[in-house]
């Protein structure tokens, strides 16, 4: 799974003028968007697009086009607004019960009416299945779901949670039909049925998706107004292949993810007919630890790594101006951001790391393997981990092996606890500090981590959610981040920026990717906006 009323940055130097609208068949053909996200069904993950399982940006970008939620975050950012719902709001001042009323006349794409019972079924299905992918954690604070007539739904929460509207805006809370999705198991494969702005067809290449074709849903009723009738989402093996397709006009836009070299080249030497746009981004990258693995079980090892890693050098070498060092799980521009890792460890210091290990009685060099995924976060990931390995090895405190694995295997192995140290990225589900803390530290978390801090889980996270004014929760997040810097169950590395590149007859490009890296394909059109 971003935008505390964020403002788009000025991109006058990058954004080429839009051309006037094209007519005839050019205006009628499908808009084609490229992505480096891969969509693969495997034995370990046979249901990559089931909302009860899907918990990565690529899968959510498919679901957002096709499956409707009660609320959604508008393109300008800010708080969620009604989508499938006509109205929603807390029914008490303590943020303990949340009531929604459905829009009249809602139907699934096949014409079947949508009622409050469908919403109840969809939410309870996620909680019943409780997949090992961490998805259900977003809804785990729900105690009961009550229907009131055919159009009223009340969510009774276990503890007050001011962030709950954001959670209802994510695909995990998508409204599904019991005729298409079993109540006690996942729906295998790539088919998706819902009531969103588009219907979808899939072209398969074996166990992979070759392309998704989204067609405007004539039965859709909601808050979104699509500016096109058809969009294709086409996966590419890497950003270089995607870039060639844009230059040859095989696609209209490159979304996730452009390489640092592509961004630099397009900014310094713009290509005719192509515009590049920077959009706000809240992606973070970090190292995660299996805190029960022998090599990193003692927190002194993790602390020593935190003292050695040179984020500035890493970012400069690999990502240049497209990223910045991060010393907290919560990125800058989000309430609660601080620099606890810098406060605790300062600039990279080999001698300090050595003292930490010596005091704990740990023999050096410590053997560790840095695991990363080769095909999920962009072309530079391999270079990033080679650089990290060299930094740690150069300290002579660590004996490092670097290993890359395809995402379809990597994610399953990581959840299973096979890796002592692993690299992951996080694209927020919603623009609140809670979504940079709970997915890593709360129960049933995304990492499936063995690390447990009961003060954080049982006291601080619930306390932070009671604050309707999210800025008032900042002191609580400061406490949590100090604990993270002390225990180092995760090690934040950097925060990224986002760019898209598109043919210059495409409009709405600056709105088609929000700060959570959600693709809003309905914003795209041809010609002048």
């Amino acid at each position: 799974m971003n935008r505390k009323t964020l403002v788009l940055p000025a991109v006058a130097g990058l954004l080429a003028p839009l051309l006037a609208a094209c007519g005839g068949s050019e205006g009628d053909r499908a808009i084609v968007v490229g992505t480096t996200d891969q969509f693969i069904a495997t034995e370990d993950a046979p249901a990559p697009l089931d909302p009860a399982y899907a918990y990565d940006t690529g899968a959510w970008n498919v679901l957002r086009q096709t499956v409707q939620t009660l609320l959604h975050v508008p393109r300008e950012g800010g708080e969620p607004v009604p989508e499938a719902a006509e109205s929603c709001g807390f029914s008490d001042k303590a943020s303990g019960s949340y009531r929604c009323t459905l829009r009249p006349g809602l139907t699934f794409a096949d014409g079947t009416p949508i009622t409050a019972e469908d919403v109840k079924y969809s939410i309870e299905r996620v909680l019943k299945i409780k997949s090992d992918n961490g998805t259900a954690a977003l809804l785990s604070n729900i105690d009961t779901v009550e229907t009131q007539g055919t159009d009223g739904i009340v969510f009774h929460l276990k503890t007050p949670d001011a962030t709950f509207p954001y959670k209802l805006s994510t695909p995990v809370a998508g409204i599904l039909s019991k005729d298409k999705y079993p109540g006690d198991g996942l729906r295998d494969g790539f088919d998706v049925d819902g009531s969103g702005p588009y219907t979808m067809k899939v072209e398969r290449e074996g166990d992979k998706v070759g392309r998704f074709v989204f067609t405007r849903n004539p039965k859709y009723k909601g808050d979104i107004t699509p500016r096109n009738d058809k969009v294709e989402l086409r996966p590419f093996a890497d950003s270089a292949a995607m870039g060639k397709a844009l230059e040859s006009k095989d696609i209209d836009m490159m979304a996730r993810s452009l390489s640092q070299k592509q961004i630099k080249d397009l900014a310094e030497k713009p290509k005719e007919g192509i515009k590049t746009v920077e959009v706000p981004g809240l992606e973070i990258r970090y190292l995660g630890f299996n805190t029960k693995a022998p090599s990193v079980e003692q927190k002194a090892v993790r602390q020593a790594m935190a003292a050695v890693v040179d984020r500035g050098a890493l970012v400069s070498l690999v990502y240049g101006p497209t990223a910045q060092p991060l010393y907290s799980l919560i990125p800058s521009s989000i309430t609660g951001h601080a620099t606890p890792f810098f406060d605790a460890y300062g600039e990279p210091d080999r001698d300090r790391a050595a003292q930490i290990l010596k005091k704990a009685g740990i023999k050096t060099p410590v053997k560790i393997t840095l695991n990363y995924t080769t095909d999920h976060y962009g072309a530079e990931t391999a270079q990033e981990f080679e650089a990290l390995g060299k930094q740690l090895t150069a300290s002579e405190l660590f004996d490092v092996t670097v290993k890359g694995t395809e995402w379809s295997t990597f994610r399953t192995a990581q959840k299973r606890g096979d890796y002592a140290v692993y690299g992951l990225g996080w694209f927020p589900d919603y623009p609140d500090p809670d979504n940079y803390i709970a997915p890593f530290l709360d129960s049933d978390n995304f990492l499936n981590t063995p690390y447990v801090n009961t003060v954080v889980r049982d006291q601080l996270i619930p306390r932070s959610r009671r604050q309707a004014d999210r800025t008032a929760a900042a002191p609580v997040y400061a406490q949590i981040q100090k604990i993270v810097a002390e225990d180092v169950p995760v090690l934040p590395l950097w925060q990224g920026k986002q760019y898209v590149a598109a043919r210059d007859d495409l409009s709405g490009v600056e709105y088609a990717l929000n700060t959570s890296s959600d693709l809003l394909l309905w914003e795209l059109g041809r010609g002048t906006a």
Side-chain angles (χ1 to χ4, degrees):
M1 298 140 82
N2 326 55
R3 54 230 114 172
K4 278 285 182 195
T5 318
L6 294 174
V7 180
L8 287 173
V11 291
L14 290 173
L15 180 58
L18 297 174
L19 298 182
C22 299
S25 61
E26 175 70 13
D28 297 334
R29 70 180 176 87
I31 294 170
V32 184
V33 176
T35 178
T36 56
D37 288 320
Q38 302 298 307
F39 303 88
I40 305 172
T42 67
E43 185 176 347
D44 290 326
L49 296 180
D50 189 318
Y53 177 85
Y55 204 7
D56 65 86
T57 302
W60 275 23
N61 281 338
V62 173
L63 293 173
R64 288 188 186 277
Q65 322 307 318
T66 50
V67 176
Q68 208 171 5
T69 48
L70 290 169
L71 303 118
H72 78 126
V73 176
R75 73 179 190 182
E76 299 86 0
E79 297 182 358
V81 298
E83 213 290 74
E86 183 176 58
S87 63
C88 284
F90 283 106
S91 53
D92 59 16
K93 292 183 179 180
S95 302
S97 293
Y98 195 76
R99 189 184 194 283
C100 291
T101 302
L102 292 175
R103 292 179 185 268
L106 281 180
T107 70
F108 291 108
D110 64 5
T112 305
I114 295 175
T115 69
E117 284 295 335
D118 294 301
V119 179
K120 176 180 170 72
Y121 172 80
S122 302
I123 297 295
E124 291 181 342
R125 175 179 181 269
V126 172
L127 295 173
K128 181 178 181 180
I129 292 173
K130 196 177 180 180
S131 81
D132 65 355
N133 214 23
T135 321
L138 283 171
L139 304 178
S140 63
N141 195 32
I142 295 174
D143 187 19
T144 58
V145 183
E146 174 190 357
T147 60
Q148 297 181 343
T150 60
D151 63 354
I153 310 100
V154 181
F155 301 93
H156 300 286
L157 307 182
K158 297 173 184 175
T159 58
D161 185 1
T163 71
F164 187 66
Y166 283 109
K167 295 168 183 175
L168 285 184
S169 73
T170 65
V172 66
I175 304 170
L176 308 175
S177 166
K178 61 174 66 71
D179 295 332
K180 304 290 177 65
Y181 290 84
D184 57 357
L186 297 172
R187 181 181 181 179
D188 293 354
F190 299 112
D191 292 332
V192 178
D193 290 279
S195 56
Y198 297 98
T199 59
M200 185 195 79
K201 290 186 177 180
V202 182
E203 292 185 12
R204 296 173 174 82
E205 296 176 354
D207 61 351
K208 295 184 178 182
V209 170
R211 76 177 70 191
F212 295 100
V213 181
F214 300 101
T215 303
R216 192 170 188 166
N217 176 11
K219 297 186 183 299
Y220 169 74
K221 291 185 178 180
D223 189 55
I224 294 165
T225 303
R227 298 186 56 244
N228 57 69
D229 292 326
K230 183 177 286 188
V231 186
E232 292 183 10
L233 184 63
R234 191 178 301 174
F236 287 86
D238 52 46
S239 56
M242 184 169 59
K244 290 179 181 177
L246 183 67
E247 290 184 37
S248 63
K249 301 184 181 180
D250 288 338
I251 64 174
D252 298 290
M253 188 177 98
M254 290 197 296
R256 287 175 27 88
S257 301
L258 281 70
S259 69
Q260 191 270 342
K261 183 178 184 303
Q262 283 176 319
I263 296 165
K264 184 174 183 292
D265 289 348
L266 287 169
E268 294 178 354
K269 301 175 183 178
K271 296 182 182 294
E272 184 177 356
I274 295 176
K275 60 186 176 184
T276 308
V277 181
E278 178 186 341
V279 294
L282 294 173
E283 169 193 7
I284 68 169
R285 298 285 179 88
Y286 58 94
L287 292 179
F289 298 94
N290 176 356
T291 54
K292 286 189 176 180
S295 61
V296 296
E297 185 175 14
Q298 295 189 62
K299 72 177 180 181
V301 175
R302 308 192 299 270
Q303 291 173 332
M305 291 177 68
V308 167
V309 167
D310 189 336
R311 295 168 177 81
L314 180 69
V315 166
S316 178
L317 174 67
V318 182
Y319 294 101
T322 66
Q324 64 188 61
L326 182 65
Y327 298 91
S328 162
L329 276 175
I330 301 174
S332 61
S333 77
I334 288 287
T335 297
H337 170 72
T339 57
F341 276 86
F342 186 84
D343 299 341
Y345 303 101
E347 296 290 350
D349 189 335
R350 186 265 179 201
D351 291 339
R352 180 170 187 174
Q355 290 173 2
I356 292 171
L357 294 171
K358 183 178 180 180
K359 185 176 180 180
I362 296 170
K363 294 181 179 181
T364 59
V366 180
K367 287 189 175 184
I368 60 171
T369 299
L370 297 179
N371 292 276
Y372 71 95
T373 176
T374 57
D375 59 346
H376 196 66
Y377 295 120
E380 291 89 1
T381 310
Q383 184 183 359
E384 175 186 353
F385 275 78
E386 288 295 335
L388 275 173
K390 288 179 180 178
Q391 286 186 6
L392 293 167
T393 299
S395 71
E396 299 181 342
L397 301 174
F398 298 94
D399 179 2
V400 180
T401 301
V402 178
K403 183 180 179 182
T405 308
E406 289 186 353
W407 176 254
S408 57
T409 301
F410 175 90
R411 175 63 171 142
T412 302
Q414 179 269 313
K415 288 187 295 183
R416 197 166 51 221
D418 292 356
Y419 304 144
V421 188
Y422 51 86
L424 281 172
W426 182 252
F427 303 86
D429 306 323
Y430 49 91
D432 189 276
D434 178 78
N435 197 236
Y436 290 93
I437 297 298
F440 309 111
L441 304 175
D442 208 354
S443 58
D444 301 321
N445 58 70
F446 170 74
L447 297 179
N448 197 26
T449 176
Y451 171 79
V452 176
N453 186 294
T454 55
V455 172
V456 172
R457 285 192 182 183
D458 301 338
Q459 298 178 32
L460 297 180
I461 290 178
R463 189 187 306 168
S464 72
R465 290 172 174 168
R466 286 196 290 268
Q467 298 291 346
D469 177 1
R470 301 308 290 151
T471 58
V476 181
Y477 288 117
Q479 286 181 262
I480 294 173
Q481 291 178 87
K482 284 183 179 179
I483 292 171
V484 172
E486 167 65 22
D487 291 352
V488 200
V490 290
L491 178 59
L493 297 174
W494 55 266
Q495 172 184 350
K497 300 178 183 179
Q498 291 190 122
Y499 296 84
V500 295
R503 305 300 310 181
D504 59 7
D505 67 334
L506 202 64
S507 60
V509 174
E510 60 269 42
Y511 298 114
L513 192 70
N514 68 17
T515 54
S516 291
S517 294
D518 301 330
L519 275 174
L520 313 181
L521 297 180
W522 53 82
E523 296 287 357
L524 297 173
R526 295 201 183 277
T528 305

